[in-house]
């Protein structure tokens, strides 16, 4: 019931604050005898790592992961895998303003209301820096899913969406926006740079597809694959919306328009469409699992915003610091990690009840 | 870890199939000494009950709830509250077609792929009839939340949305659509009737607001209030999208546009807006908690759709039966119930860790 | 986290009070396609059923189980199995004395201290009658364990133990004491009858062995097979001690005396002894899993005992009612059921992580 | 459901192997604003620390704990508390014998049977070294329990028990055996030294009492305080038996002998005896909570014992290494820690459901 844990069988727990000595994840329930080393995790952390372009926060962190347990002679042992990432760029800074007043849109006030107290340095536990631990855990989850290919990308920044006709998976790794449409990437470079220079921020949409998920994963009625994905995605910092398959668009459709007709195919069932996003009744159908996730603009902006001090007086705050002008960009590797974590868990859960 | 249970402290488990003898919920963790009787639950079931207008399924079920345990002398005892609803209108019917072929958009194929077997009568466990158990459990959850007012309504059917300027909470109970805009209700009467007579179906959007939630409920980072709400809503039958606050709209905004500026007020903090939907960092802020939920059109339609038989051959299926032309309508009481269930759980969870 | 649920994958939830309309269990996580009918459960309930000899309580209950969900065409569907047992012999009785004063040794005072309130009729939820639900759930668990043979018996009543040399498994079903030693059974008939006629009660020890458990079930370090068995057994009404293998005797031994030497055998590993009770490091070794459980004498006796009223005044109470003179006797089928429930859960948990 | 986690609300997860770089615990659910520093944890680790007398293993470990998260300005923040202890004395050693053959009584064979693979260095995850993480977590649990005083001691080594009449709590800290009877401590010095010099080992019994637990903690029927204590204790390495209150002795008693008569007292209820060990119906009664725990002799002995190699051939093994001749001695601080962890969890769980 730990609120800092996620998953049922393949279950991970994260710990750590933005400006503490380190952060980490403990992954429990991982099957034994899977090849694992720090080198298998690091590339995923590097993809999420800040400070790699001018479009993300300039905090410089190597985000080097250490495996402290659960691996012996290069293989998982079946016991908890402890992953630790040291915080190295805890820039000494004056936090007195943030300590005294609540940053609107941030969790400052909510944490204080809940705990009567908060670690105000860089947002403490509420910092998106915690997602590094999820990405590390997600890299372990992928070991459990050799049959599944997971891909996430940014499909929209502000009001500017990619052209689906120009989707090229190869492009995603070639630009700093995880953008599959090279022309959109060029436009976004301008858009994000203008935003950054204005000390402003902007929202984004991330999409993720998992191919190769067999029919049968997911567990009705409160362990549905789509419900677990919704929790996984909505729990990522700055996320305000989640869609499975066609999402909100289906509200406008008729049953005929929304039907995913089926035909016998050479390799089993074939579907005419995938409005459902690969999930029916909470169980995978064998089609690609599709998720869309909305990220709000970072709340940290240079424009002063009216707020309240800890003692209840009116003030204004402008957030200096080193912030992502578009936090959704670095959200893509996190969405990918959460997809892997949910699927790994459901694969094992399905095996528990149904064998195979 | 039971996949048919939901909640952490205030936790309920549901059981039952569409055409079995009964269905029910076991509510565990409810505080003692709360006044509870069947009469306190029945009105919520009646609101969700089918067969009350021509706009919903014509299945006739009294949905009379019985309390089998956990209440003594009219008060909760702190022990599990067992709620049972008998199925009375299990119309004897020929299910051979549904048994033999998979209805597109339904969970038929996914259940068979998972379990190698399925109760095909009325969808078995995947039937939306299961949500009656959630509504019953939700009525108990409300006892825990005297300070909170929860209201859900249908805000859109197909492409036709209400006019927010005409929102009148009193109207919601006056029409068969849970519609707060009387003019929209009139238009929908026509729209849904046409849809029904055509043997078609149509999607909808349900919105829900909880007022009176104090700041401090919700638990970072994998027990976030918004993440739990997302799971609760996405797990409702036919739901494909969930938004908190402004949802997907925030992806288009700048940080300045999305800011919820704060001011000192007479009764504590006041906010200029509520883009965040009452939740920051996964914790309630004291503002109204706002959720939007997209329902797909019922997959059961009279137009034949291509599908596959259990043995893999091509066929067509048209679903006769008694179905909701717009399943989202009866989704409103279910969304309301899930909101209550999540909030009750988080109230107790907050009390566990932080007292108060 | 429901406190009225037990198990991780194969998980059951029980509900119901001694004198409510019914009690039951919801079994979740059961694999699909196992043959199940009420007839497969009833014999286990009959073994535990009261009123079958003068050595147990004279409460007359048919304890007829009904399956309300989760079974279709005689097979489990993989969805929750709801089991219900109606209470029929809720003898109308004057409970005013029990309502007003706390019965020593019973949970009366503790329930009042916890909940500020209690269902005093027959002990309410604290009644051993709740164990009927465990026995019903245990019968389902056995379906998951075709390779395992579980046997429980009473090995001691009061100070009178069986002679291990006279152990005869066939005898267990032939006497009303679940006693494998026919001579002990004769002595106990006299002992329990004298106890009963004196309005007194007496303690007992139950032993249980599970044969056929393969090596590898159990999960270090907080899901150990022996730790889960300890919780399962200690949670049975009136139990005050649990031993695995040689239990407390090992405290007196040296390492040499306690060693379970191993040899290669024709069918794999062979052990010289089984001091460990079939579990090492929390994981099964392939040897028989052995548990011993101590039951206290029923607290309900005719001799008046000093106690306190609800309002804090001194009084005396003697418990009339229909009580077991030796509650440990009817504990044997419950111990057997809990063994099955723990093993079924660990079989599935092992399969989840390690396959096979 | 993580099998390396324990607790419901106050929940901790441990990780680490005997010879890995470090081990640790993540404590989740701890209330905020409790004073915590490494100095508050270290004394408990020091009490359990090996190498302090000739009666325990000569492995030299400083067991210095570091707090990596969850504490800010000397107070708990309500977020996960990550505790790490580095392994410094991972003596380079030839493990080829242990790698090739199974040590009888150890978890070697069971781990291999489960995972197909094991970290054989010092027992890996099955090593009692893992209990250091429990002791660290237990020190945090004590912060939640200012009203409770917990004391554990060794009451028996081999066949030699303390004289209860000579019980002196002050003595416990004065000898290397956690022995409250100074004369027994002298006898044990001889007994354990003889055992150690013979390369043998010996069993022990540890007792633990918690005073100040109010009536009302514990949650029927599968979250009983005694059931959770049984799991907590049976899950400690080398434990084979657990008793609550009078334990197995009650099996020999009559209801009259076992009665805990109650009287009105100046400060509330007074009991004549405490056969029940402070728990009735799974709920605390306000009396001292009493537990007895049996530890087997360490399986590592110098006498060769017949065993089997990984490839199934007969061999003999004698365990050199640095081992405790009586592992029960260092079990006392672990029992104390587990008592604190269970009580802290139940205090918060009670508050969740019943307030106060």
């Amino acid at each position: 019931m730990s609120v800092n844990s996620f998953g049922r069988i393949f279950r991970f727990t994260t710990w750590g604050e933005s400006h503490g000595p380190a952060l980490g994840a403990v992954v429990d329930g991982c099957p034994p005898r899977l090849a694992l080393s720090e080198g298998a995790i690091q590339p995923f952390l590097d993809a999420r790592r800040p400070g790699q372009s001018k479009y993300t926060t300039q905090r410089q962190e190597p985000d080097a992961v250490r495996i402290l347990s659960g691996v012996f002679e290069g293989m998982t042992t079946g016991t908890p895998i402890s992953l630790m990432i040291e915080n190295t760029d805890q820039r000494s800074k004056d936090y007195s303003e943030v300590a005294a007043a609540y940053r609107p849109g941030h969790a400052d006030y909510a944490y204080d209301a809940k705990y009567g107290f908060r670690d105000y340095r860089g947002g403490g536990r509420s910092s998106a820096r915690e997602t590094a631990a999820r990405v590390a855990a997600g890299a372990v989850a992928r070991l459990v899913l050799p049959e599944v290919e997971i891909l996430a990308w940014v499909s929209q920044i502000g009001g500017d969406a990619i052209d689906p006709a120009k989707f090229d998976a190869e492009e995603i790794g070639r630009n700093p926006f995880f953008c599959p449409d090279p022309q959109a990437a060029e436009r976004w470079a301008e858009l994000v740079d203008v935003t950054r220079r204005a000390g402003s921020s902007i929202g984004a949409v991330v999409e993720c597809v998992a191919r190769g998920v067999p029919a049968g994963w997911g567990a009705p009625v409160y362990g549905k694959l789509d419900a677990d994905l919704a929790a996984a995605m909505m729990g990522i910092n700055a996320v305000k919306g989640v869609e499975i398959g066609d999402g909100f668009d289906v509200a406008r459709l008729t049953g005929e328009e929304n039907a995913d007709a089926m035909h016998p195919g050479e390799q089993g069932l074939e579907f005419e469409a995938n409005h459902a996003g690969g999930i029916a009744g909470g169980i995978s159908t064998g089609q690609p699992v599709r998720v869309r996730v909305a990220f709000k603009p970072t709340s940290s902006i240079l424009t002063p915003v009216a707020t309240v001090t800890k003692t209840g007086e009116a003030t204004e705050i402008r957030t200096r610091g080193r912030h992502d002008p578009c936090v959704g960009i670095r959200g893509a590797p996190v969405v990918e990690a959460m997809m892997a974590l949910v699927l790994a868990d459901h694969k094992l859960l399905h095996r528990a009840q149904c064998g195979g």
Side-chain angles (χ1 to χ4, degrees), chain A:
Chain A
M1 220 245 18
S2 163
V3 293
N4 288 283
S5 301
F6 189 90
R8 298 157 188 271
I9 307 275
F10 189 99
R11 185 168 170 88
F12 69 101
T13 301
T14 73
W15 54 270
E17 281 84 40
S18 173
H19 284 61
L23 53 86
V26 181
V27 178
D28 199 7
C30 184
R33 299 189 313 277
L34 301 173
L36 179 62
S37 65
E38 281 131 3
I41 301 173
Q42 198 60 50
F44 296 98
L45 284 166
D46 290 346
R48 182 205 155 278
R49 189 148 56 90
Q52 301 187 96
S53 79
K54 65 182 173 182
Y55 308 107
T56 62
T57 172
Q58 293 310 298
R59 179 170 174 161
Q60 295 292 338
E61 288 284 2
D63 279 357
V65 67
R66 278 187 69 200
I67 299 174
L68 295 177
S69 69
V71 175
F72 181 57
E73 296 182 343
M75 290 205 294
T76 59
T77 59
T79 61
I81 301 165
S82 178
L83 305 170
M84 184 170 73
I85 299 162
E86 287 185 61
N87 288 327
T88 57
D89 185 12
Q90 309 141 259
R91 187 174 295 192
S92 101
K93 174 181 158 179
D94 179 7
Y95 284 105
S96 55
E97 194 185 27
V98 180
Y102 300 124
R103 293 169 299 165
H106 280 278
D108 298 351
Y109 170 65
Y111 266 66
D112 246 21
K114 181 172 192 67
Y115 300 116
F117 175 64
R118 75 192 145 100
D119 177 350
Y120 46 74
R121 300 165 307 162
R125 181 73 178 149
S126 74
S127 166
R129 183 144 179 73
E130 184 271 343
T131 60
R134 306 186 195 200
V135 168
V140 181
R142 286 165 191 267
L143 304 180
V144 179
L145 300 165
E147 70 274 57
V148 178
E149 184 197 10
I150 303 173
L151 195 64
W153 62 91
V154 179
S155 66
Q156 181 184 323
I157 292 186
D160 186 359
I162 60 165
D163 177 352
K166 295 196 178 119
F167 184 98
D168 177 359
E170 299 290 309
E171 279 297 319
I172 295 170
R174 291 194 190 124
N175 59 68
F177 304 105
F178 301 102
C179 178
D181 167 354
Q183 283 162 287
E186 277 179 44
R187 299 192 306 268
W188 293 353
E190 172 70 12
L191 171 62
V192 177
D193 198 43
V194 164
T195 301
R196 181 184 64 81
R197 279 186 280 119
S200 182
S201 64
I202 196 158
V205 173
V206 172
E207 299 195 26
C208 185
V209 167
R211 295 172 196 281
V213 176
W217 294 2
V221 295
Y222 302 111
K224 287 182 175 176
L225 185 55
D226 38 1
D228 280 5
L229 284 170
M233 300 306 166
M234 196 68 92
I236 299 173
N237 307 49
V239 169
K240 301 306 285 185
V242 181
E243 297 181 321
I244 304 292
D246 286 359
F248 274 84
D249 282 351
V250 299
R252 283 194 293 271
L253 302 184
T254 64
E256 291 77 10
E257 293 164 332
N258 190 52
D260 290 334
M262 292 181 273
H263 303 279
E266 298 216 343
Q267 305 185 338
L269 224 56
E270 284 177 7
F271 290 81
E272 276 182 34
N274 186 12
H275 298 293
I279 303 175
I283 304 175
S284 60
T285 61
Q287 291 188 280
V289 174
R290 295 196 298 118
V291 182
R292 285 183 84 237
V293 183
F295 285 81
K296 70 176 185 180
T298 322
S299 301
S300 299
I301 49 177
L302 281 181
T303 306
V305 182
T307 190
V308 172
T309 67
K310 220 182 149 170
T311 52
E313 282 146 53
T315 186
E316 276 195 339
I317 199 164
R318 35 182 283 174
T319 320
R320 288 172 194 86
R322 298 158 295 166
H323 297 286
D324 284 286
C326 177
V327 75
I329 297 171
R330 286 172 56 223
V334 183
V335 166
E336 223 177 80
M338 293 309 297
M339 173 69 88
L341 287 156
V342 169
L343 290 176
D345 189 37
H346 272 285
K347 177 178 180 175
L348 301 189
L349 184 59
H350 176 67
R351 185 160 77 179
Q353 192 184 12
C354 300

